[in-house]
Amino acid sequence: QVPVLSYSQQMTDILYRRKTSMAEKKQRAIDIMRRVGIPDPEDRIIQYPHQFSGGMRQRAGIAMALLMDPVLLIADEPTTALDVTMEAQIIHLLRELQREMDATLLVVSHNLGLIAELCDEVVVMYAGEIVETGDVHDIFHRAAHPYTQALLECDPAREIERARILPVIPGDIPDLHREMKGCAFAPRCRRANGRCHTDLPPVVALNEDGHTARCHLLDDTTELPAPPRPAAATASPRDANGDAETLLDVTGLGVRFRVMGALRARINGVADPFVDAVLDASLSLRRGETLGLVGESGSGKTTLGRAILGLVPAQTGQVAFDGRDLRKLTPAAFQPLREHMSMMFQDPVGSLSPRQTVKSLIVEPFRIHGGSTDLDAEAERLCDMVRFPTNFLSRYPHELSGGQARRVGVARALALNPRLVVADEPTAGLDVSVQGEILNLMSDLQSEHGLGYILSLIH
């Protein structure tokens, strides 16, 4: 989505081949925006991408893809930033498109629930290779490749008991810059033997319906051992620290955004050209506690988190951090407190400067706030903390996977050992195994350093 063009301009440009008037093209754009769940599309269509939340931008992208009634639609993570209600609506919309247009849909997603709900055939990929194919029932009920089995076992929906440790696949995706021998999954496979590390696995047909898998072990009669289970449920930080001091106290916080210029508002007779993004929000957070902000996309979760940290101005209310009202502090008085609070942004790659290396990004907090002169040692310490390979320090954000970029964001957020971390969708766009790794890491660091987390979530 082009940041300098309004959605009206972008969507009518897509319809340039339609031999209709500009008014009809704009009405078509408004109708499709309403169809994907964007409220007040007549007003929102004249806005720009930065005026939409992450979930709203996702809906707008889907609307633009559907404008021309395509017969082939490639949906790359179509529900990543959407809440479960909107996800169900998008699934229903895509099914309607298939039925009405006899369209073919290719879904690229890490969301196992979406795949199970929407797809007929499934292709499982790992490290650039197709490791298993089959119909959706075979993949979810008779998975054959060890990677597919491990991925399904990592799904939190399969966990019955509450636990603070989630199952993960040990290890990391191999470095694709190097030539690989044998099976790409062998270093992480619990059943790998000698030939798995030296010989390329064959494609084995498992039935006559097209279920195939690429694995040396499929002729092995030895049953796959049960995956490691999560640790037993433990008390939450609040239960363990019921008498802990209050770290953050927010009372009656309100944030308003202007949606119309003063001249246009006067012409249209609008007396109050503002929208309440956050209205009278109050919350309290203790040291070592985790607080979840749950709501639909566009409900104000990100804005509330940013307002708490002073990244967007609030018009009303109080934000007391360690007993000091942050809204009453001057910028000079606020500056020393910033090193005690940080934010993990929703987009793991987009929140990192593309012009800086990983090393430059994770030591930047020290350059801003001081406190350490040996930046090389700090970079290695942070890499060890978030289990990020040190040989990646010279890389740029576009050279990282989503999980690796997320770890860089975690390292940046925790560089100065803050006491408060606002994590905006910390697992958005990650597969279930990497989600477990990130959440386990955050839980470990919270136990070690007594961090207070505010988690913004849609699921």
Side-chain angles (χ1 to χ4, degrees):
Q1 299 175 21
V2 184
V4 296
L5 297 180
S6 68
Y7 282 111
S8 176
Q9 181 67 55
Q10 294 187 58
M11 298 179 86
T12 53
D13 284 348
I14 293 173
L15 293 168
Y16 75 98
R17 291 184 180 178
R18 293 283 178 92
K19 304 301 182 182
T20 57
S21 67
M22 183 59 68
E24 291 174 321
K25 291 178 181 178
K26 187 173 181 179
Q27 186 59 47
R28 164 69 176 164
I30 291 173
D31 292 341
I32 201 71
M33 289 181 77
R34 180 179 290 109
R35 195 174 181 187
V36 299
I38 296 177
D40 304 319
E42 294 85 358
D43 297 326
R44 303 303 297 270
I45 196 172
I46 63 174
Q47 296 181 347
Y48 294 81
H50 73 274
Q51 295 175 288
F52 278 44
S53 68
M56 288 293 181
R57 284 196 294 271
Q58 185 86 351
R59 301 185 201 191
I62 294 171
M64 288 190 281
L66 299 179
L67 272 174
M68 297 296 292
D69 297 323
V71 294
L72 170 62
L73 178 62
I74 301 176
D76 187 3
E77 299 287 0
T79 61
T80 293
L82 303 181
D83 57 84
V84 289
T85 303
M86 192 61 216
E87 183 176 295
Q89 187 173 337
I90 292 301
I91 290 174
H92 179 69
L93 176 63
L94 293 175
R95 281 178 169 169
E96 279 189 348
L97 176 69
Q98 283 185 294
R99 183 170 57 253
E100 293 173 5
M101 305 299 300
D102 195 23
T104 299
L105 182 62
L106 175 62
V107 180
V108 181
S109 180
H110 69 278
N111 188 329
L112 299 177
L114 174 68
I115 297 297
E117 183 74 19
L118 194 58
C119 298
D120 302 310
E121 302 287 334
V122 180
V123 174
V124 182
M125 295 188 67
Y126 179 80
E129 296 181 355
I130 294 176
V131 297
E132 187 166 1
T133 63
D135 65 45
V136 66
H137 187 271
D138 283 338
I139 294 298
F140 279 87
H141 295 281
R142 289 189 291 272
H145 195 279
Y147 173 66
T148 309
Q149 294 171 340
L151 196 64
L152 293 172
E153 290 293 343
C154 289
D155 187 357
R158 294 179 175 234
E159 299 304 315
I160 300 175
E161 297 182 359
R162 178 190 178 199
R164 292 184 59 80
I165 305 298
L166 298 175
V168 299
I169 303 175
D172 294 304
I173 294 177
D175 185 357
L176 300 182
H177 291 85
R178 300 177 180 177
E179 183 180 358
M180 289 185 294
K181 295 182 179 180
C183 176
F185 188 64
R188 307 174 71 183
C189 182
R190 291 171 285 123
R191 295 179 58 196
N193 55 35
R195 61 176 177 169
C196 295
H197 294 277
T198 57
D199 301 332
L200 287 174
V203 177
V204 179
L206 301 172
N207 61 28
E208 297 179 355
D209 297 327
H211 187 192
T212 66
R214 183 186 290 270
C215 183
H216 286 297
L217 306 173
L218 293 179
D219 57 352
D220 192 344
T221 57
T222 304
E223 289 191 11
L224 188 68
R229 306 303 299 166
T234 58
S236 68
R238 184 171 192 136
D239 295 333
N241 300 307
D243 297 328
E245 63 185 43
T246 298
L247 180 65
L248 178 72
D249 194 8
V250 178
T251 306
L253 195 66
V255 181
R256 310 190 82 203
F257 292 128
R258 177 179 284 276
V259 295
M260 190 181 298
L263 179 60
R264 185 165 177 262
R266 179 173 296 182
I267 292 174
N268 293 324
V270 178
D272 187 25
F274 294 87
V275 61
D276 289 305
V278 177
L279 183 62
D280 194 26
S282 300
L283 57 89
S284 179
L285 179 72
R286 296 177 182 176
R287 184 179 180 274
E289 184 181 45
T290 300
L291 176 69
L293 300 178
V294 182
E296 295 184 354
S297 56
S299 61
K301 306 182 300 296
T302 298
T303 301
L304 175 57
R306 289 172 177 258
I308 289 173
L309 299 184
L311 300 181
V312 296
Q315 284 70 44
T316 60
Q318 294 181 334
V319 180
F321 179 75
D322 271 353
R324 302 180 66 183
D325 189 354
L326 301 182
R327 293 197 59 237
K328 294 182 179 179
L329 298 180
T330 63
F334 198 162
Q335 180 66 20
L337 295 177
R338 287 197 177 277
E339 63 181 279
H340 301 299
M341 55 186 75
S342 61
M343 185 164 188
M344 298 180 193
F345 295 94
Q346 182 177 11
D347 184 352
V349 178
S351 61
L352 303 176
S353 171
R355 298 178 178 85
Q356 292 182 261
T357 63
V358 170
K359 178 182 176 181
S360 176
L361 288 165
I362 65 177
V363 300
E364 188 175 33
F366 296 104
R367 293 197 181 100
I368 296 173
H369 295 282
S372 177
T373 56
D374 191 350
L375 298 183
D376 292 336
E378 293 293 352
E380 292 185 6
R381 176 183 69 84
L382 291 170
C383 284
D384 291 339
M385 178 188 295
V386 300
R387 295 189 285 277
F388 185 83
T390 55
N391 60 331
F392 281 21
L393 285 173
S394 60
R395 295 191 178 186
Y396 289 86
H398 72 274
E399 299 178 284
L400 306 177
S401 68
Q404 291 166 346
R406 179 65 68 187
R407 290 176 190 270
V408 174
V410 174
R412 274 175 60 90
L414 302 179
L416 300 175
N417 296 321
R419 287 178 286 166
L420 171 65
V421 178
V422 178
D424 186 13
E425 295 291 345
T427 60
L430 305 180
D431 64 71
V432 287
S433 177
V434 180
Q435 286 181 19
E437 290 180 7
I438 295 299
L439 294 176
N440 289 345
L441 171 64
M442 293 175 63
S443 180
D444 291 343
L445 295 174
Q446 182 180 53
S447 300
E448 182 179 350
H449 300 288
L451 302 177
Y453 286 129
I454 296 180
L455 298 183
S456 173
L457 303 167
I458 55 175
H459 291 91

